[in-house]
Amino acid sequence: MTKKITITGIMLSLATVLSLIRVFDAPYGGSVTAGSMVPILLLAFLYGTKWGIGSGILFGLISIFTNGLPAPPVTNFLSYAAVIVLDYVLAFGVLGLAGVLQDKVFCGKMWAPAAATVVVIFLRFVCHFLSGILIWGIYAWDGVSVPLYSFLYNGSYMLFELIISLFVIAVLSRMLHNKILKK
């Protein structure tokens, strides 16, 4: 257990440092990091879904402190709670589902980590997309529907986050596959 907690601490630290490295700002807003979700995905692959979800939630909460919590357009307790839940707790918590997807859905195949990465990052996008509709829609551009605004805003940076994470996971997949088989 000590080793598991230590590795988790290292991975959370790595994810935090990577989240502070901005590769670029996306065209409609949001920024693209240097693969900050990969350490959380690795924890889910190595230690399972529950541990991965917990690690993702911790990373989301750490992100609030390192990157700041944006003030919602309506500044009341409920709005702040909705931002924290949708944009941080759920959005990062779903990354932990990579563990169950890799093991049970994709049956530990060589390509399973890459497939699980695509699914969980899509789920993270869905959380941000819903948040964009429910909370941030007031910022929609003139003549653009709120769902389209949310799709463009969140999709523009999440697509690049997916590409970077998928590249890193694909490079590591052989090593991950061998480690998981030995587990």
Side-chain angles (χ1 to χ4, degrees), residues 12-41:
L12 284 170
S13 298
L14 179 59
T16 302
V17 169
L18 290 172
S19 76
L20 297 172
I21 300 171
R22 305 277 199 243
V23 176
F24 64 90
D25 290 326
Y28 296 109
S31 57
V32 178
T33 67
S36 63
M37 292 182 283
V38 171
I40 307 307
L41 296 170

PDB file of all heavy atoms in Angstrom, residues 12-41:
ATOM      1  N   LEU A  12       0.356  12.251  -9.345  1.00  0.00           N
ATOM      2  CA  LEU A  12      -0.431  13.481  -9.166  1.00  0.00           C
ATOM      3  C   LEU A  12       0.465  14.710  -9.299  1.00  0.00           C
ATOM      4  O   LEU A  12       0.063  15.716  -9.895  1.00  0.00           O
ATOM      5  CB  LEU A  12      -1.146  13.480  -7.813  1.00  0.00           C
ATOM      6  CG  LEU A  12      -2.374  12.584  -7.717  1.00  0.00           C
ATOM      7  CD1 LEU A  12      -2.844  12.478  -6.278  1.00  0.00           C
ATOM      8  CD2 LEU A  12      -3.489  13.092  -8.609  1.00  0.00           C
ATOM      9  N   SER A  13       1.671  14.624  -8.767  1.00  0.00           N
ATOM     10  CA  SER A  13       2.621  15.739  -8.904  1.00  0.00           C
ATOM     11  C   SER A  13       3.003  15.948 -10.365  1.00  0.00           C
ATOM     12  O   SER A  13       3.045  17.082 -10.852  1.00  0.00           O
ATOM     13  CB  SER A  13       3.886  15.465  -8.083  1.00  0.00           C
ATOM     14  OG  SER A  13       3.577  15.361  -6.721  1.00  0.00           O
ATOM     15  N   LEU A  14       3.263  14.851 -11.057  1.00  0.00           N
ATOM     16  CA  LEU A  14       3.606  14.943 -12.478  1.00  0.00           C
ATOM     17  C   LEU A  14       2.452  15.530 -13.285  1.00  0.00           C
ATOM     18  O   LEU A  14       2.652  16.404 -14.130  1.00  0.00           O
ATOM     19  CB  LEU A  14       3.980  13.555 -13.013  1.00  0.00           C
ATOM     20  CG  LEU A  14       4.333  13.472 -14.501  1.00  0.00           C
ATOM     21  CD1 LEU A  14       5.515  14.372 -14.838  1.00  0.00           C
ATOM     22  CD2 LEU A  14       4.634  12.015 -14.880  1.00  0.00           C
ATOM     23  N   ALA A  15       1.230  15.062 -13.013  1.00  0.00           N
ATOM     24  CA  ALA A  15       0.054  15.596 -13.711  1.00  0.00           C
ATOM     25  C   ALA A  15      -0.085  17.092 -13.459  1.00  0.00           C
ATOM     26  O   ALA A  15      -0.396  17.865 -14.377  1.00  0.00           O
ATOM     27  CB  ALA A  15      -1.208  14.854 -13.262  1.00  0.00           C
ATOM     28  N   THR A  16       0.173  17.517 -12.218  1.00  0.00           N
ATOM     29  CA  THR A  16       0.061  18.938 -11.871  1.00  0.00           C
ATOM     30  C   THR A  16       1.104  19.764 -12.611  1.00  0.00           C
ATOM     31  O   THR A  16       0.786  20.814 -13.177  1.00  0.00           O
ATOM     32  CB  THR A  16       0.186  19.126 -10.346  1.00  0.00           C
ATOM     33  OG1 THR A  16      -0.843  18.357  -9.708  1.00  0.00           O
ATOM     34  CG2 THR A  16       0.069  20.574  -9.957  1.00  0.00           C
ATOM     35  N   VAL A  17       2.339  19.288 -12.635  1.00  0.00           N
ATOM     36  CA  VAL A  17       3.397  20.008 -13.348  1.00  0.00           C
ATOM     37  C   VAL A  17       3.073  20.072 -14.842  1.00  0.00           C
ATOM     38  O   VAL A  17       3.197  21.129 -15.467  1.00  0.00           O
ATOM     39  CB  VAL A  17       4.770  19.349 -13.108  1.00  0.00           C
ATOM     40  CG1 VAL A  17       5.829  19.908 -14.047  1.00  0.00           C
ATOM     41  CG2 VAL A  17       5.203  19.542 -11.656  1.00  0.00           C
ATOM     42  N   LEU A  18       2.626  18.947 -15.413  1.00  0.00           N
ATOM     43  CA  LEU A  18       2.279  18.937 -16.840  1.00  0.00           C
ATOM     44  C   LEU A  18       1.106  19.865 -17.144  1.00  0.00           C
ATOM     45  O   LEU A  18       1.042  20.458 -18.222  1.00  0.00           O
ATOM     46  CB  LEU A  18       1.956  17.512 -17.301  1.00  0.00           C
ATOM     47  CG  LEU A  18       3.143  16.542 -17.356  1.00  0.00           C
ATOM     48  CD1 LEU A  18       2.666  15.126 -17.638  1.00  0.00           C
ATOM     49  CD2 LEU A  18       4.172  16.990 -18.383  1.00  0.00           C
ATOM     50  N   SER A  19       0.188  20.023 -16.183  1.00  0.00           N
ATOM     51  CA  SER A  19      -0.956  20.920 -16.413  1.00  0.00           C
ATOM     52  C   SER A  19      -0.532  22.387 -16.427  1.00  0.00           C
ATOM     53  O   SER A  19      -1.240  23.232 -16.971  1.00  0.00           O
ATOM     54  CB  SER A  19      -2.037  20.701 -15.351  1.00  0.00           C
ATOM     55  OG  SER A  19      -1.679  21.278 -14.120  1.00  0.00           O
ATOM     56  N   LEU A  20       0.609  22.672 -15.828  1.00  0.00           N
ATOM     57  CA  LEU A  20       1.118  24.048 -15.809  1.00  0.00           C
ATOM     58  C   LEU A  20       1.922  24.380 -17.060  1.00  0.00           C
ATOM     59  O   LEU A  20       2.220  25.538 -17.321  1.00  0.00           O
ATOM     60  CB  LEU A  20       1.965  24.281 -14.554  1.00  0.00           C
ATOM     61  CG  LEU A  20       1.206  24.146 -13.229  1.00  0.00           C
ATOM     62  CD1 LEU A  20       2.174  24.213 -12.059  1.00  0.00           C
ATOM     63  CD2 LEU A  20       0.120  25.195 -13.109  1.00  0.00           C
ATOM     64  N   ILE A  21       2.275  23.348 -17.826  1.00  0.00           N
ATOM     65  CA  ILE A  21       3.000  23.552 -19.083  1.00  0.00           C
ATOM     66  C   ILE A  21       1.957  23.679 -20.191  1.00  0.00           C
ATOM     67  O   ILE A  21       1.355  22.701 -20.623  1.00  0.00           O
ATOM     68  CB  ILE A  21       3.968  22.390 -19.373  1.00  0.00           C
ATOM     69  CG1 ILE A  21       4.984  22.260 -18.250  1.00  0.00           C
ATOM     70  CG2 ILE A  21       4.649  22.591 -20.730  1.00  0.00           C
ATOM     71  CD1 ILE A  21       5.847  21.012 -18.339  1.00  0.00           C
ATOM     72  N   ARG A  22       1.757  24.880 -20.635  1.00  0.00           N
ATOM     73  CA  ARG A  22       0.769  25.160 -21.673  1.00  0.00           C
ATOM     74  C   ARG A  22       1.444  25.041 -23.042  1.00  0.00           C
ATOM     75  O   ARG A  22       2.352  25.803 -23.355  1.00  0.00           O
ATOM     76  CB  ARG A  22       0.205  26.569 -21.523  1.00  0.00           C
ATOM     77  CG  ARG A  22      -0.372  26.870 -20.164  1.00  0.00           C
ATOM     78  CD  ARG A  22      -1.789  26.346 -20.078  1.00  0.00           C
ATOM     79  NE  ARG A  22      -2.492  26.992 -18.989  1.00  0.00           N
ATOM     80  CZ  ARG A  22      -2.946  26.343 -17.940  1.00  0.00           C
ATOM     81  NH1 ARG A  22      -2.775  25.059 -17.828  1.00  0.00           N
ATOM     82  NH2 ARG A  22      -3.609  26.978 -16.993  1.00  0.00           N
ATOM     83  N   VAL A  23       0.995  24.081 -23.828  1.00  0.00           N
ATOM     84  CA  VAL A  23       1.541  23.904 -25.165  1.00  0.00           C
ATOM     85  C   VAL A  23       1.083  25.068 -26.044  1.00  0.00           C
ATOM     86  O   VAL A  23       1.877  25.672 -26.749  1.00  0.00           O
ATOM     87  CB  VAL A  23       1.110  22.544 -25.758  1.00  0.00           C
ATOM     88  CG1 VAL A  23       1.586  22.388 -27.187  1.00  0.00           C
ATOM     89  CG2 VAL A  23       1.626  21.403 -24.890  1.00  0.00           C
ATOM     90  N   PHE A  24      -0.208  25.383 -25.973  1.00  0.00           N
ATOM     91  CA  PHE A  24      -0.751  26.561 -26.652  1.00  0.00           C
ATOM     92  C   PHE A  24      -2.172  26.791 -26.169  1.00  0.00           C
ATOM     93  O   PHE A  24      -2.781  25.938 -25.536  1.00  0.00           O
ATOM     94  CB  PHE A  24      -0.698  26.430 -28.178  1.00  0.00           C
ATOM     95  CG  PHE A  24      -1.538  25.315 -28.741  1.00  0.00           C
ATOM     96  CD1 PHE A  24      -2.860  25.528 -29.116  1.00  0.00           C
ATOM     97  CD2 PHE A  24      -1.004  24.050 -28.928  1.00  0.00           C
ATOM     98  CE1 PHE A  24      -3.630  24.505 -29.638  1.00  0.00           C
ATOM     99  CE2 PHE A  24      -1.759  23.022 -29.459  1.00  0.00           C
ATOM    100  CZ  PHE A  24      -3.079  23.257 -29.811  1.00  0.00           C
ATOM    101  N   ASP A  25      -2.691  27.972 -26.501  1.00  0.00           N
ATOM    102  CA  ASP A  25      -4.085  28.281 -26.211  1.00  0.00           C
ATOM    103  C   ASP A  25      -4.910  27.896 -27.431  1.00  0.00           C
ATOM    104  O   ASP A  25      -4.539  28.189 -28.564  1.00  0.00           O
ATOM    105  CB  ASP A  25      -4.265  29.779 -25.912  1.00  0.00           C
ATOM    106  CG  ASP A  25      -3.635  30.165 -24.580  1.00  0.00           C
ATOM    107  OD1 ASP A  25      -3.649  29.338 -23.655  1.00  0.00           O
ATOM    108  OD2 ASP A  25      -3.128  31.295 -24.471  1.00  0.00           O
ATOM    109  N   ALA A  26      -6.029  27.225 -27.179  1.00  0.00           N
ATOM    110  CA  ALA A  26      -6.897  26.780 -28.266  1.00  0.00           C
ATOM    111  C   ALA A  26      -7.578  27.977 -28.927  1.00  0.00           C
ATOM    112  O   ALA A  26      -7.719  29.043 -28.309  1.00  0.00           O
ATOM    113  CB  ALA A  26      -7.935  25.795 -27.736  1.00  0.00           C
ATOM    114  N   PRO A  27      -8.016  27.828 -30.159  1.00  0.00           N
ATOM    115  CA  PRO A  27      -8.573  28.948 -30.929  1.00  0.00           C
ATOM    116  C   PRO A  27      -9.758  29.656 -30.266  1.00  0.00           C
ATOM    117  O   PRO A  27      -9.853  30.871 -30.323  1.00  0.00           O
ATOM    118  CB  PRO A  27      -9.014  28.306 -32.241  1.00  0.00           C
ATOM    119  CG  PRO A  27      -8.346  26.996 -32.319  1.00  0.00           C
ATOM    120  CD  PRO A  27      -7.980  26.593 -30.941  1.00  0.00           C
ATOM    121  N   TYR A  28     -10.653  28.918 -29.643  1.00  0.00           N
ATOM    122  CA  TYR A  28     -11.844  29.537 -29.062  1.00  0.00           C
ATOM    123  C   TYR A  28     -11.734  29.745 -27.557  1.00  0.00           C
ATOM    124  O   TYR A  28     -12.631  30.291 -26.932  1.00  0.00           O
ATOM    125  CB  TYR A  28     -13.090  28.695 -29.376  1.00  0.00           C
ATOM    126  CG  TYR A  28     -13.389  28.636 -30.839  1.00  0.00           C
ATOM    127  CD1 TYR A  28     -13.206  27.471 -31.559  1.00  0.00           C
ATOM    128  CD2 TYR A  28     -13.834  29.762 -31.518  1.00  0.00           C
ATOM    129  CE1 TYR A  28     -13.475  27.417 -32.913  1.00  0.00           C
ATOM    130  CE2 TYR A  28     -14.096  29.726 -32.868  1.00  0.00           C
ATOM    131  CZ  TYR A  28     -13.925  28.554 -33.561  1.00  0.00           C
ATOM    132  OH  TYR A  28     -14.179  28.511 -34.905  1.00  0.00           O
ATOM    133  N   GLY A  29     -10.668  29.289 -26.963  1.00  0.00           N
ATOM    134  CA  GLY A  29     -10.485  29.406 -25.527  1.00  0.00           C
ATOM    135  C   GLY A  29     -10.044  28.076 -24.961  1.00  0.00           C
ATOM    136  O   GLY A  29     -10.083  27.049 -25.619  1.00  0.00           O
ATOM    137  N   GLY A  30      -9.609  28.108 -23.721  1.00  0.00           N
ATOM    138  CA  GLY A  30      -9.055  26.908 -23.115  1.00  0.00           C
ATOM    139  C   GLY A  30      -7.612  26.763 -23.539  1.00  0.00           C
ATOM    140  O   GLY A  30      -7.173  27.350 -24.523  1.00  0.00           O
ATOM    141  N   SER A  31      -6.870  26.001 -22.780  1.00  0.00           N
ATOM    142  CA  SER A  31      -5.472  25.810 -23.130  1.00  0.00           C
ATOM    143  C   SER A  31      -5.153  24.322 -23.204  1.00  0.00           C
ATOM    144  O   SER A  31      -5.814  23.493 -22.584  1.00  0.00           O
ATOM    145  CB  SER A  31      -4.561  26.504 -22.117  1.00  0.00           C
ATOM    146  OG  SER A  31      -4.830  26.031 -20.819  1.00  0.00           O
ATOM    147  N   VAL A  32      -4.144  24.018 -23.975  1.00  0.00           N
ATOM    148  CA  VAL A  32      -3.722  22.645 -24.185  1.00  0.00           C
ATOM    149  C   VAL A  32      -2.454  22.417 -23.377  1.00  0.00           C
ATOM    150  O   VAL A  32      -1.511  23.197 -23.462  1.00  0.00           O
ATOM    151  CB  VAL A  32      -3.473  22.386 -25.691  1.00  0.00           C
ATOM    152  CG1 VAL A  32      -2.977  20.975 -25.926  1.00  0.00           C
ATOM    153  CG2 VAL A  32      -4.744  22.667 -26.482  1.00  0.00           C
ATOM    154  N   THR A  33      -2.464  21.345 -22.586  1.00  0.00           N
ATOM    155  CA  THR A  33      -1.331  21.056 -21.703  1.00  0.00           C
ATOM    156  C   THR A  33      -0.420  20.000 -22.325  1.00  0.00           C
ATOM    157  O   THR A  33      -0.747  19.402 -23.347  1.00  0.00           O
ATOM    158  CB  THR A  33      -1.821  20.554 -20.328  1.00  0.00           C
ATOM    159  OG1 THR A  33      -2.447  19.273 -20.493  1.00  0.00           O
ATOM    160  CG2 THR A  33      -2.792  21.534 -19.698  1.00  0.00           C
ATOM    161  N   ALA A  34       0.673  19.760 -21.647  1.00  0.00           N
ATOM    162  CA  ALA A  34       1.667  18.789 -22.118  1.00  0.00           C
ATOM    163  C   ALA A  34       1.324  17.374 -21.651  1.00  0.00           C
ATOM    164  O   ALA A  34       2.135  16.687 -21.051  1.00  0.00           O
ATOM    165  CB  ALA A  34       3.049  19.196 -21.634  1.00  0.00           C
ATOM    166  N   GLY A  35       0.101  16.942 -21.893  1.00  0.00           N
ATOM    167  CA  GLY A  35      -0.291  15.571 -21.553  1.00  0.00           C
ATOM    168  C   GLY A  35      -0.599  15.364 -20.079  1.00  0.00           C
ATOM    169  O   GLY A  35      -0.308  14.305 -19.529  1.00  0.00           O
ATOM    170  N   SER A  36      -1.237  16.343 -19.457  1.00  0.00           N
ATOM    171  CA  SER A  36      -1.472  16.280 -18.012  1.00  0.00           C
ATOM    172  C   SER A  36      -2.407  15.155 -17.573  1.00  0.00           C
ATOM    173  O   SER A  36      -2.383  14.750 -16.417  1.00  0.00           O
ATOM    174  CB  SER A  36      -2.017  17.621 -17.507  1.00  0.00           C
ATOM    175  OG  SER A  36      -3.263  17.903 -18.099  1.00  0.00           O
ATOM    176  N   MET A  37      -3.214  14.616 -18.467  1.00  0.00           N
ATOM    177  CA  MET A  37      -4.126  13.529 -18.090  1.00  0.00           C
ATOM    178  C   MET A  37      -3.443  12.161 -18.090  1.00  0.00           C
ATOM    179  O   MET A  37      -3.938  11.219 -17.461  1.00  0.00           O
ATOM    180  CB  MET A  37      -5.332  13.505 -19.035  1.00  0.00           C
ATOM    181  CG  MET A  37      -6.242  14.692 -18.884  1.00  0.00           C
ATOM    182  SD  MET A  37      -7.678  14.603 -19.960  1.00  0.00           S
ATOM    183  CE  MET A  37      -6.951  15.078 -21.528  1.00  0.00           C
ATOM    184  N   VAL A  38      -2.322  12.039 -18.748  1.00  0.00           N
ATOM    185  CA  VAL A  38      -1.654  10.743 -18.891  1.00  0.00           C
ATOM    186  C   VAL A  38      -1.307  10.108 -17.540  1.00  0.00           C
ATOM    187  O   VAL A  38      -1.581   8.911 -17.344  1.00  0.00           O
ATOM    188  CB  VAL A  38      -0.418  10.850 -19.818  1.00  0.00           C
ATOM    189  CG1 VAL A  38       0.398   9.571 -19.801  1.00  0.00           C
ATOM    190  CG2 VAL A  38      -0.863  11.191 -21.241  1.00  0.00           C
ATOM    191  N   PRO A  39      -0.732  10.827 -16.582  1.00  0.00           N
ATOM    192  CA  PRO A  39      -0.444  10.171 -15.302  1.00  0.00           C
ATOM    193  C   PRO A  39      -1.687   9.620 -14.600  1.00  0.00           C
ATOM    194  O   PRO A  39      -1.633   8.559 -13.968  1.00  0.00           O
ATOM    195  CB  PRO A  39       0.209  11.284 -14.466  1.00  0.00           C
ATOM    196  CG  PRO A  39       0.797  12.210 -15.472  1.00  0.00           C
ATOM    197  CD  PRO A  39      -0.167  12.186 -16.623  1.00  0.00           C
ATOM    198  N   ILE A  40      -2.814  10.297 -14.744  1.00  0.00           N
ATOM    199  CA  ILE A  40      -4.055   9.814 -14.140  1.00  0.00           C
ATOM    200  C   ILE A  40      -4.524   8.557 -14.868  1.00  0.00           C
ATOM    201  O   ILE A  40      -4.970   7.581 -14.245  1.00  0.00           O
ATOM    202  CB  ILE A  40      -5.150  10.905 -14.163  1.00  0.00           C
ATOM    203  CG1 ILE A  40      -4.644  12.202 -13.529  1.00  0.00           C
ATOM    204  CG2 ILE A  40      -6.429  10.410 -13.492  1.00  0.00           C
ATOM    205  CD1 ILE A  40      -4.066  12.072 -12.139  1.00  0.00           C
ATOM    206  N   LEU A  41      -4.413   8.545 -16.181  1.00  0.00           N
ATOM    207  CA  LEU A  41      -4.766   7.363 -16.959  1.00  0.00           C
ATOM    208  C   LEU A  41      -3.889   6.176 -16.570  1.00  0.00           C
ATOM    209  O   LEU A  41      -4.370   5.052 -16.407  1.00  0.00           O
ATOM    210  CB  LEU A  41      -4.646   7.646 -18.454  1.00  0.00           C
ATOM    211  CG  LEU A  41      -5.589   8.703 -19.024  1.00  0.00           C
ATOM    212  CD1 LEU A  41      -5.200   9.059 -20.448  1.00  0.00           C
ATOM    213  CD2 LEU A  41      -7.025   8.237 -18.945  1.00  0.00           C
TER     214      LEU A  41
END
